[in-house]
Amino acid sequence: MMMELSLYSGAEYELILLIDCQDEKLPKETDHAAWEAFNKKHLPQELRNLAVWFNADMLNDWYPGIDVHVAILQYFQPTQIFSRLHPQYDYVWQFEMDSRYTGHMYDLLHKATEFAKQQPRKYLWERNSHFYIPAVHGTWEEFMKKVDREMPGHDNGSVWGPRPAEGIDIEGQAIMPPVPHPEDEPGTWGVGEETDLITWLPHFNPVGTDWPFRDRVFNFPQDQETPRWAAVVAMSRISARLLGLLHKDKVQSGVGLASEMSPLSWALYYGLKAVQIPQPVYHDAKWDPEELNRRANPGEPGMVNAGFNSIWSWGQHDDIIYNTTFMLNSQFSEKLYRAWLGYDGAKEWEKENPRLCLPPIFLHPVKNLESVKTKGD
């Protein structure tokens, strides 16, 4: 990332290491000598100026109204604080250490940003809920037209403008649509608009699913009736505006949702633009496209993946979930990346076959990069 984003772009991007200090107290903010010693103890010299540290005490000090600060449930609290302390950044791309990209990172982020910017808001939430499968849906333009044809008559389920939750004040900060109903808008609203949230996997309404984090709702007056959407794998690009709203409502009301519901639900509450990037996701086996579409995109128009048979319902679609190149807990992503590095018998295979060459693929998770796996990995 340092080479392909910061140096390649002439500092269009800046690389920051946001580090959770779990076992030690952090030095006092003004004790520069203590910070220098702390960084020297924990980081090699080339990374010390990139590090921004946080711990549970800091999160509790900033957000005393909510008693949940663990990363799996409140992944974005440190990012919110970072954004408040560093307002020079309009957007923050947040990546996890167990992700890898086999292409050029600048190209990926540039193309993702431009794609998101050109997406119209009309039926955007409905498009976002699909896994886009070209063999089934045709070109992206054909897919957009398909969704446009399907949604009339299902508009009660369409997200159009803000859908606020009780317990937060959106007055003066929500974005209102130009017309009351999406079918009356020609499909130009949002085109050319920068996106407040970019994610890498589809969006879904988790309430009626068996997704394990669907009920992690904190301090909202509506409790389980709180409107909410989710996008699994929390890596994303988030605007300073969206981070500021997340911060404001945690400070003022102490409300929160599980990490993978937080940014998308706040975009829902305030009517902000959120886009899923239809990145290439590969499988370890050949699927019939129609069958894959039936499994990956169940549900009526406006309610795709919002029912109990959702692909996000726990344990129902493991043959898909565990065997793709980008997913919350895939095994195939690491297996493929290790083969690309020449590990796990790949060198022997290459004696009689061409060396493995991969197209640009965003892989997650990739946790074990040792040339020889240790026992239990």
Side-chain angles (χ1 to χ4, degrees):
M1 283 190 177
M2 176 63 75
M3 292 293 295
E4 295 180 0
L5 290 178
S6 184
L7 296 179
Y8 176 82
S9 69
E12 177 184 345
Y13 292 88
E14 186 171 348
L15 182 63
I16 303 293
L17 299 179
L18 198 56
I19 306 174
D20 185 358
C21 181
Q22 298 181 347
D23 300 321
E24 292 187 49
K25 286 192 173 183
L26 295 175
K28 292 182 179 180
E29 184 178 353
T30 56
D31 192 340
H32 301 297
W35 270 111
E36 184 175 348
F38 185 85
N39 281 321
K40 186 175 182 179
K41 175 182 177 182
H42 293 288
L43 294 171
Q45 184 174 357
E46 62 270 21
L47 299 182
R48 291 170 195 166
N49 289 335
L50 307 179
V52 174
W53 296 85
F54 69 93
N55 62 9
D57 290 340
M58 178 188 294
L59 301 181
N60 187 61
D61 287 344
W62 276 74
Y63 302 116
I66 182 171
D67 60 1
V68 181
H69 304 293
V70 293
I72 194 171
L73 295 177
Q74 288 295 295
Y75 180 91
F76 292 97
Q77 285 185 9
T79 316
Q80 293 159 205
I81 296 171
F82 175 83
S83 183
R84 303 303 293 176
L85 296 176
H86 301 276
Q88 69 269 33
Y89 300 108
D90 296 323
Y91 301 92
V92 175
W93 284 99
Q94 187 147 332
F95 293 97
E96 297 173 1
M97 297 295 290
D98 60 352
S99 63
R100 294 293 184 275
Y101 185 59
T102 60
H104 197 288
M105 204 69 183
Y106 183 89
D107 291 340
L108 174 67
L109 302 195
H110 177 72
K111 290 176 181 177
T113 300
E114 288 304 307
F115 173 86
K117 188 175 180 179
Q118 295 308 315
Q119 296 311 297
R121 281 176 172 257
K122 183 176 182 177
Y123 301 135
L124 175 60
W125 288 73
E126 289 69 44
R127 294 195 302 276
N128 283 338
S129 65
H130 288 77
F131 280 94
Y132 168 57
I133 304 174
V136 174
H137 299 132
T139 66
W140 183 256
E141 289 71 24
E142 290 170 337
F143 172 60
M144 291 177 64
K145 291 177 182 178
K146 175 180 181 294
V147 174
D148 286 354
R149 289 193 304 269
E150 291 176 344
M151 282 307 298
H154 298 272
D155 281 355
N156 287 339
S158 179
V159 176
W160 185 246
R163 287 195 174 182
E166 293 180 14
I168 61 175
D169 180 13
I170 69 168
E171 185 69 28
Q173 298 172 89
I175 307 300
M176 305 304 295
V179 295
H181 305 288
E183 67 266 24
D184 298 327
E185 199 273 322
T188 57
W189 183 41
V191 175
E193 177 189 10
E194 284 287 358
T195 306
D196 284 281
L197 178 65
I198 294 175
T199 73
W200 300 103
L201 285 173
H203 305 169
F204 66 104
N205 183 335
V207 176
T209 73
D210 196 33
W211 182 58
F213 295 102
R214 67 191 181 281
D215 59 354
R216 300 302 183 95
V217 178
F218 309 110
N219 302 332
F220 275 98
Q222 293 170 275
D223 194 27
Q224 295 304 310
E225 299 302 315
T226 303
R228 54 201 187 272
W229 278 61
V232 303
V233 182
M235 289 186 288
S236 51
R237 190 192 82 161
I238 315 178
S239 70
R241 171 168 62 175
L242 179 51
L243 288 167
L245 294 171
L246 280 158
H247 168 79
K248 171 185 76 74
D249 293 327
K250 276 191 175 52
V251 170
Q252 292 182 356
S253 305
V255 293
L257 299 168
S259 300
E260 292 169 327
M261 292 191 287
S262 292
L264 188 57
S265 295
W266 257 259
L268 178 74
Y269 302 153
Y270 286 90
L272 304 185
K273 187 177 180 182
V275 175
Q276 178 236 156
I277 302 300
Q279 58 154 326
V281 176
Y282 297 86
H283 297 257
D284 74 340
K286 187 175 179 62
W287 277 82
D288 173 71
E290 294 290 347
E291 173 64 11
L292 183 61
N293 182 57
R294 185 187 70 80
R295 295 276 304 280
N297 295 316
E300 295 296 317
M303 294 293 290
V304 171
N305 273 313
F308 187 75
N309 64 339
S310 168
I311 193 172
W312 308 114
S313 288
W314 202 249
Q316 293 192 31
H317 303 280
D318 288 351
D319 53 333
I320 298 175
I321 295 293
Y322 283 104
N323 297 299
T324 61
T325 51
F326 192 95
M327 193 51 68
L328 62 156
N329 53 359
S330 174
Q331 299 169 351
F332 182 51
S333 49
E334 181 176 297
K335 180 180 179 181
L336 186 63
Y337 193 72
R338 289 181 61 82
W340 190 55
L341 295 178
Y343 300 162
D344 305 335
K347 292 294 185 184
E348 289 299 315
W349 187 84
E350 289 171 6
K351 290 179 180 179
E352 299 181 3
N353 299 278
R355 184 170 184 180
L356 179 63
C357 183
L358 296 179
I361 308 176
F362 198 11
L363 296 157
H364 178 271
V366 178
K367 296 184 180 294
N368 191 321
L369 295 178
E370 298 294 328
S371 59
V372 178
K373 282 192 174 185
T374 57
K375 187 176 181 180
D377 289 336

